[in-house]
Amino acid sequence: MILESVEFSRYLTMLTLSVHVVFATVGVGVPLFIMIAHWIGLKREDQHYILMAKRWTRGYVISVAVGVVTGTAIALQLALLWPRFMEFAGQLVALPLFMETFAFFFEAIFLGIYLYTWNRFKNPKHHFYLLVPVVIGGAMSALFITSVNAFMNTPQGFTLLNGELTNIQPLLAMFNPAMPTKVAHVLSSAYMTAAFVLASIAAFHLLRGSRHEYHRKGLSLTMKVGFIFCIATALIGDLSGKFLAEYQPEKLAAAEWHFETKGEAPIILFGVLTETNEVKYAIEIPYALSILVHSNLSGEVTGLNDIPEEYHPPYVIHYFFDIMVSIGIGLTLLSMFYLLALKRNWAIIKTKLFRTFLVLTGPLAMLAIQAGWWFTEVGRQPWIMRGFMKTAEGATDSNYVWVMFIVFAFVYLILMIGTAVVLTRMFRNNPVEYEIDGLSKQEGLGEQRGVTV
Amino acid sequence: MTIEILGISVLWLFLFGYVIVASIDFGAGFFNASTIVTGKHHIVNSVIQRYLSPVWEITNVFLVFFFVGMIGFFPKTAYYFGTVLLIPISISIILLALRGSYYAFGTYGSKGHKGYTLMYGVTGVFIPASLTTALIVSQGGFIKETAKGTIELDYFALFTSPFSWSIVLLSLVSVLYISASFLAYYSSVAEDNGALKLFRKYTWIWSFPTIITALGIIVEMRWHNPSHFEGLLDLWWVFALSTLCFVTSLWYLRKARYGLSFIFVVLQFAFAFYAYGASRYPYLLYPYLTIYDGFTNQTMAISLVIVFVIGLMLLIPSLYLVFKLFIMNKPYIKNQKM
């Protein structure tokens, strides 16, 4: 029975987090773009950008609402599904958890104010400044919560003596070895994903035949920023690989299906694994893993055979890793090509085919986020707290987890469908052309009125 | 004052904060939905929407704050409450999830969608009921030990106990009472006489059931948990103060001083809430867990208190800003042009 609860607790946590991460990524990433658009709008006195900030905000609020409720769910589920783990880890990571709620509090407060104060300030810049705490609050809450997750991967800041915790250093626990790369990767990939999500919306309208300048401005803005964050994400991803080799060699080895400890190690892309642990149909890039880990061709990389089998993560994480990396590279190349073509005025970016690719960028980036989290989380099995507590030891012994799994699966389904329906209806019933017409009429009155969100 | 008591006082303050803001929110959702049914929706809709929209998110954060702080200061509660409350709290989470998203869908998406509004109202009434399970369980007497040495919730005892039902009832009526009192005040600022009249009536209707159930629970405690009953009696004077505030608030309600009336409602609940909390001392979960054996290590406790103080220094001005912009701001409430 206990084993079953562990399995269902894992599935339910995975389900909640997979739903939450969609909205959390949008929640962290999109405010930056609202801020950029609003800033350009004020600087250039271009109503299109102001309108862009408004429309993005309107959609953003829906996603924040669902993000808040799924976030509340995961916060409570941590204690409901993993009571023994929380009892133990609560003494070590309460600080970042606590700080996260503060950060989120700020974001919530200022987002609320921003939404309801269009035109309530005499100086429009004052209204713009309200976005600063929203962006910072979002980034900070990502930082703190990721540091908790990083702690589970590389626990430190305490001594375990005969089952008793002593010598606790909360700051050391928070600034653990996994934290810098993890936080940086989470933030830059969130901004990157938000960029492509917004880009696919603009591309979708252009594909559907809208010729409005508004969408072109939106597309080029998001693609430019998206490209920058692609590069940043890739660089940080490289650092994360080096980190893994040093602190969690079993995760990297499982991701790469790297069995023999050796130098001149290749990176394996795609392929399948046979029952005797042979890799077939894979693309091998010679030396690449050694370069990734040690920055030289012959660096030795620990293989799975040198790690006790009971600590091996499931080998399936190889696929998650592949999905994440291939999408990352694909998006980088695509956005680079787009920027080049935009500069050189190539006609290809106006073709239907290319625009179809652009529409796909948002969903693909979101898939990469999911794959990346599955990779990192499944990759630390069998541990819930690496080196200290196995997943089975942290779970609840309640027998009803499977019921909750079914119920929550159903609720999340309703939420996802509801969000999709509401968001599409919201923008389809109020296309940008109407709003721009409205704007130019009002300008005749000598005053630009805010659209109530 | 020991750091344990400081910790629990801070958390109790946040729980109280949540009780007040969430009551206003749940009650407003309920009135909003019930007036659709009774055909008086047009009277109250604008007042409710103007208040709720900017603050709904903040309400939720109060709950998470309390909860995270609880695990921070008292990690052992994660084990006890987490194990026992899987189903009741999961139900609360689901209701909160539906409610939060329906609100957003209804307010920002399809404006004025009646289905969303009704769901918003109905879920709001069930959430206090399911959340109070945690409070009821912490009172002791509803946990059984299984043969394997683990603990689980005794559902039969929970559902057949008049004591637990009284607490659920109290949470429901006080939600409606607090909310009506606040909305009466809010509509008086808005000079919206239709809404004011309605909410004043609601305040009267829900005030007496609140005080009667509260007194009833104190009496029931005598059989349910005699030592806690003694603790309550020792603090009789705080409950007397609470009752005095109750009478004062009704008196101000009669005199049409709605702001003062609401303040006394808050004071009434504050006194009762703190007296109830203090009377449980030192138990978090009777008789398994006291605030002393469930407390976190000293280092973490001190760092949490430091973060808490820094956080409050940022939080209070921000909340003040919200207050100034949306609650104390007549032109906004009255929907005048700025």
Side-chain angles (χ1 to χ4, degrees), chain A residues 37-38 40-55 118-119 212 214 217 432 435-436 439-440 442-443 447-451:
Chain A
H38 196 156
I40 297 179
L42 288 178
K43 272 268 139 177
R44 297 190 195 157
E45 293 182 11
D46 185 335
Q47 288 304 326
H48 286 165
Y49 285 101
I50 301 271
L51 185 64
M52 210 180 281
K54 274 182 193 164
R55 285 175 68 92
W118 286 95
N119 296 334
H212 208 285
Y214 171 89
K217 285 177 181 169
V432 73
E435 285 200 63
I436 289 174
L439 280 179
S440 42
Q442 280 161 6
E443 262 162 24
E447 187 196 1
Q448 177 251 324
R449 274 180 47 178
V451 181

Side-chain angles (χ1 to χ4, degrees), chain B:
Chain B
M1 181 148 85
T2 62
I3 196 156
E4 287 90 347
I5 294 184
L6 180 68
I8 195 71
S9 313
V10 162
L11 290 177
W12 207 240
L13 182 70
F14 266 91
L15 190 57
F16 181 68
Y18 180 69
V19 165
I20 296 297
V21 290
S23 294
I24 295 175
D25 186 24
F26 294 146
F30 176 78
F31 293 132
N32 203 16
S34 68
T35 49
I36 286 187
V37 181
T38 56
K40 290 176 179 159
H41 193 241
H42 57 282
I43 305 177
V44 300
N45 180 45
S46 132
V47 166
I48 289 177
Q49 287 301 329
R50 297 231 118 212
Y51 165 75
L52 275 187
S53 302
V55 302
W56 66 272
E57 237 189 313
I58 300 173
T59 311
N60 233 359
V61 188
F62 265 98
L63 176 65
V64 177
F65 212 110
F66 165 74
F67 174 76
V68 170
M70 190 78 181
I71 290 187
F73 281 106
F74 305 96
K76 272 212 168 75
T77 53
Y79 172 68
Y80 281 96
F81 287 105
T83 308
V84 172
L85 295 176
L86 174 69
I87 292 181
I89 298 297
S90 291
I91 293 174
S92 309
I93 299 174
I94 290 168
L95 292 172
L96 280 169
L98 293 176
R99 183 179 151 87
S101 40
Y102 282 129
Y103 178 73
F105 296 167
T107 309
Y108 307 109
S110 345
K111 276 199 174 56
H113 190 296
K114 280 202 178 137
Y116 292 147
T117 316
L118 283 176
M119 278 302 284
Y120 185 67
V122 172
T123 47
V125 179
F126 286 114
I127 292 168
S130 65
L131 282 179
T132 38
T133 325
L135 208 61
I136 298 167
V137 167
S138 74
Q139 202 61 61
F142 298 106
I143 289 179
K144 62 178 181 197
E145 278 165 50
T146 63
K148 284 181 296 180
T150 55
I151 48 174
E152 64 179 36
L153 186 56
D154 188 344
Y155 287 96
F156 181 74
L158 184 71
F159 283 114
T160 52
S161 152
F163 177 75
S164 55
W165 286 109
S166 321
I167 292 189
V168 170
L169 189 68
L170 176 65
S171 73
L172 290 181
V173 289
S174 28
V175 157
L176 297 176
Y177 174 46
I178 294 172
S179 187
S181 171
F182 174 80
L183 289 169
Y185 159 62
Y186 204 72
S187 35
S188 81
V189 179
E191 291 168 19
D192 184 339
N193 282 324
L196 174 61
K197 227 173 121 189
L198 204 58
F199 286 123
R200 198 173 60 183
K201 197 172 89 191
Y202 289 152
T203 315
W204 280 110
I205 290 176
W206 295 110
S207 61
F208 289 100
T210 306
I211 207 87
I212 291 165
T213 27
L215 290 172
I217 285 167
I218 296 181
V219 175
E220 278 178 276
M221 193 69 91
R222 187 171 188 166
W223 292 283
H224 187 79
N225 185 338
S227 68
H228 192 173
F229 180 68
E230 294 294 319
L232 289 173
L233 284 192
D234 285 344
L235 290 166
W236 67 270
W237 55 277
V238 193
F239 290 103
L241 275 177
S242 170
T243 318
L244 193 67
C245 292
F246 171 71
V247 176
T248 316
S249 84
L250 288 188
W251 189 73
Y252 277 125
L253 188 69
R254 234 185 102 89
K255 294 276 164 201
R257 304 283 300 273
Y258 302 103
L260 281 169
S261 173
F262 176 67
I263 288 173
F264 276 95
V265 169
V266 173
L267 284 176
Q268 172 203 340
F269 277 90
F271 280 125
F273 199 74
Y274 270 88
Y276 167 76
S279 70
R280 301 168 47 108
Y281 176 83
Y283 287 104
L284 286 170
L285 172 59
Y286 186 86
Y288 296 93
L289 204 60
T290 67
I291 61 171
Y292 297 101
D293 48 42
F295 200 60
T296 187
N297 56 80
Q298 286 290 319
T299 336
M300 186 53 88
I302 293 166
S303 58
L304 284 179
V305 169
I306 295 172
V307 165
F308 182 75
V309 171
I310 299 173
L312 274 194
M313 288 194 301
L314 291 164
L315 205 59
I316 289 171
S318 325
L319 284 173
Y320 175 73
L321 190 64
V322 171
F323 206 69
K324 225 183 137 210
L325 284 169
F326 301 113
I327 298 173
M328 293 306 292
N329 194 305
K330 214 167 181 173
Y332 169 77
I333 303 175
K334 290 181 74 178
N335 195 11
Q336 284 172 347
K337 224 170 159 292
M338 298 298 293

